[in-house]
Amino acid sequence: MASAAEQLASNLNFAAFAKAEDLKKRIWFTIGALLVYRLGTYIPLPGINPDAFAQAFSSQSKGVLGMFNMFAGGAVQRMAIFALGIMPYISASIIMQLMTSVIPSLEALKKEGEQGRKIINQYTRYGTVLLALIQAYGISIGLEGGNGIVNDPGMFFRISTVVTLVGGTMFLMWLGEQITARGIGNGISLIIFSGIVAGLPRAISGTLELGRTGALSTGLILAIIVLAIIVIALIVFFERAQRRLLIQYPKRQVGNRMFQGDTSHLPLKLNTSGVIPPIFASSLLLLPATVAGFSQATNMPAWASTILASLGHGQPLYMIFYAGMIVFFAFFYTAIVFNPKDTADQLKKHSGFIPGYRPGERTADYIDYVLTRITVVGAIYLVLVCLLPEFLISATGVPFYLGGTSLLIVVSVTLDTVAQIQGHLIAHQYEGLIKKSKLRGGKRSR
């Protein structure tokens, strides 16, 4: 079976793709949904002065707003109806994952299977609405506090802004679920992916323009390209890297027949936490500078100004804290999403065991030991991928879109989507082989 699957995978070509009608429909649906999302990032909020907001945003573009603008596909820069993006949903999902590890009732729901997951997903939607309401109201207050940004400040503007922004986020959440169900790939990830990719041409053209004007040398631009290729290669290697633990199942007797014991593997990803650590670390580190910029604190104490200057983007203290927080969130999030005790209990329930370790607590301890060791490697990988571009950005002023976090998201989502496309093609070819064998069998019987 394995060799047949490998042969089918190696024979994937455009001819096979042309015959996979269901896959083509899924791809076209995904493209259409992403085009709708991109259109929404250009529809501005009602009652906003675009010129005044653009001037205010330019002074804060290097803070946390710059990163949120990247994830929102430029919607924050234009203060569009999708300015909140999908981030409230992601935040609510992470909070729910935290709560399922802390609250016993939610943990029990998680173990109930599909029905429990549906209830948790519904709670996540409620949390998304709550977070979006808070953030949208804060944005409306902040916009009113700007100089000439809002044409007619007041309660009506606040209500319309909250309704528009929350509605935009809920629509994106629904759109992401539709892409996952009826399209190809993970819908939420593809929405973030399309937003980042949409800004890449402008970032590349900006870099080339710096080279044309002499602000960047040709050698430095080539070094940027080489570094980007190296970072992409590192991401591809480490995102696919696994530590596979051997699982054995004992012999079993069904009636008068004795079945031989089977073996399988428990795959542990080297980077279990994904892109969450750099996103959280960036948000927390850029938040103080952004708040200080909005508050226009001219009477700030000298010590506070010194600390803010040290935590500026690209500063040594910023790099140290950035690396430390990436490591912390890598371990923290891995501990939330992967529970060695639950995995050991599932193995024991299905009579599986790791050779040399007693089922139950000893197996859980061993899985935790292996997971901790590979998470160290995964955290170091995340630090390298995220800090190498940061050093380049701080030294040369290369656009923010070329940071390690954006490359990490783009490459990871691309790998997952391509893997799903290959899976659909393999399934389609298997169906074709089964139909051919049935036809041949029917002809022979005649």
Side-chain angles (χ1 to χ4, degrees):
M1 182 67 71
S3 60
E6 290 174 2
Q7 185 172 353
L8 281 173
S10 64
N11 291 333
L12 294 179
N13 49 37
F14 288 106
F17 175 78
K19 296 177 183 178
E21 295 296 332
D22 179 65
L23 177 59
K24 287 192 290 185
K25 290 179 182 178
R26 286 178 172 271
I27 292 176
W28 280 117
F29 179 86
T30 302
I31 294 173
L34 293 179
L35 286 176
V36 170
Y37 159 64
R38 291 302 305 156
L39 178 64
T41 61
Y42 286 89
I43 303 175
L45 280 175
I48 296 291
N49 184 339
D51 296 332
F53 179 78
Q55 185 177 359
F57 178 83
S58 62
S59 63
Q60 300 296 325
S61 60
K62 293 185 179 180
V64 71
L65 287 183
M67 190 185 67
F68 286 158
N69 185 57
M70 177 186 71
F71 293 143
V76 176
Q77 184 178 3
R78 294 180 285 271
M79 195 42 65
I81 59 175
F82 290 160
L84 277 182
I86 204 68
M87 295 306 289
Y89 177 77
I90 295 175
S91 301
S93 300
I94 294 171
I95 291 171
M96 282 303 302
Q97 288 178 342
L98 285 169
M99 294 176 67
T100 53
S101 303
V102 176
I103 301 176
S105 58
L106 291 177
E107 188 176 3
L109 273 177
K110 186 179 179 182
K111 295 178 180 179
E112 287 183 6
E114 186 63 28
Q115 187 63 31
R117 281 194 294 271
K118 287 182 179 178
I119 297 174
I120 291 176
N121 289 338
Q122 194 63 28
Y123 289 160
T124 304
R125 295 187 185 100
Y126 295 150
T128 302
V129 174
L130 180 61
L131 290 176
L133 282 170
I134 296 171
Q135 294 179 16
Y137 185 75
I139 288 175
S140 67
I141 297 296
L143 291 173
E144 286 187 340
N147 186 17
I149 294 177
V150 179
N151 296 327
D152 188 15
M155 186 55 65
F156 179 77
F157 170 76
R158 296 179 189 178
I159 293 174
S160 65
T161 299
V162 169
V163 171
T164 303
L165 291 178
V166 173
T169 295
M170 300 310 296
F171 176 78
L172 287 182
M173 182 181 70
W174 174 83
L175 191 67
E177 292 176 350
Q178 294 302 308
I179 293 174
T180 302
R182 302 171 59 185
I184 195 78
N186 182 283
I188 303 300
S189 299
L190 282 171
I191 287 175
I192 299 176
F193 166 86
S194 64
I196 296 174
V197 170
L200 283 177
R202 182 183 300 176
I204 294 172
S205 65
T207 304
L208 295 177
E209 179 64 19
L210 291 175
R212 189 186 68 82
T213 58
L216 291 178
S217 65
T218 304
L220 188 56
I221 293 177
L222 292 176
I224 292 171
I225 296 173
V226 171
L227 180 61
I229 294 173
I230 293 173
V231 170
I232 291 172
L234 278 174
I235 294 172
V236 172
F237 176 79
F238 279 97
E239 289 300 316
R240 285 289 177 258
Q242 294 178 347
R243 173 71 161 87
R244 305 177 71 188
L245 301 181
L246 179 64
I247 306 296
Q248 289 188 348
Y249 296 91
K251 296 180 180 179
R252 57 191 178 93
Q253 184 172 357
V254 179
N256 294 327
R257 297 185 62 184
M258 179 67 71
F259 291 88
Q260 293 291 330
D262 197 8
T263 61
S264 64
H265 291 89
L266 174 65
L268 299 178
K269 285 191 66 176
L270 202 64
N271 179 29
T272 307
S273 57
V275 299
I276 297 299
I279 291 175
F280 270 38
S282 300
S283 301
L284 291 177
L285 281 175
L286 292 173
L287 191 59
T290 303
V291 172
F294 270 128
S295 64
Q296 302 292 328
T298 56
N299 56 346
M300 185 180 297
W303 61 268
S305 300
T306 304
I307 293 176
L308 282 174
S310 300
L311 288 175
H313 196 269
Q315 297 298 318
L317 190 60
Y318 171 89
M319 298 294 191
I320 293 171
F321 274 102
Y322 189 35
M325 294 176 74
I326 287 175
V327 173
F328 169 76
F329 282 118
F331 279 92
F332 181 72
Y333 195 73
T334 299
I336 292 173
V337 300
F338 191 94
N339 190 332
K341 188 176 183 303
D342 289 345
T343 304
D345 291 341
Q346 287 295 322
L347 288 175
K348 187 177 181 180
K349 181 180 177 181
H350 293 90
S351 301
F353 64 94
I354 298 176
Y357 296 91
R358 187 184 297 274
E361 186 176 349
R362 288 289 304 279
T363 299
D365 291 341
Y366 176 69
I367 295 174
D368 182 62
Y369 168 74
V370 174
L371 186 65
T372 302
R373 292 178 65 188
I374 64 175
T375 303
V376 171
V377 180
I380 293 173
Y381 142 71
L382 285 176
V383 169
L384 288 176
V385 165
C386 294
L387 283 190
L388 281 176
E390 288 294 335
F391 282 119
L392 187 64
I393 290 170
S394 62
T396 63
V398 176
F400 185 74
Y401 276 89
L402 296 178
T405 305
S406 57
L407 285 176
L408 182 62
I409 294 173
V410 169
V411 176
S412 299
V413 174
T414 301
L415 290 174
D416 292 339
T417 305
V418 169
Q420 286 201 27
I421 291 174
Q422 289 181 341
H424 279 282
L425 286 175
I426 291 173
H428 176 75
Q429 288 198 344
Y430 267 126
E431 290 175 1
L433 290 175
I434 291 172
K435 289 179 181 178
K436 287 181 180 179
S437 62
K438 286 182 178 179
L439 288 173
R440 290 172 182 172
K443 290 179 180 178
R444 289 174 182 174
S445 62
R446 290 176 187 175

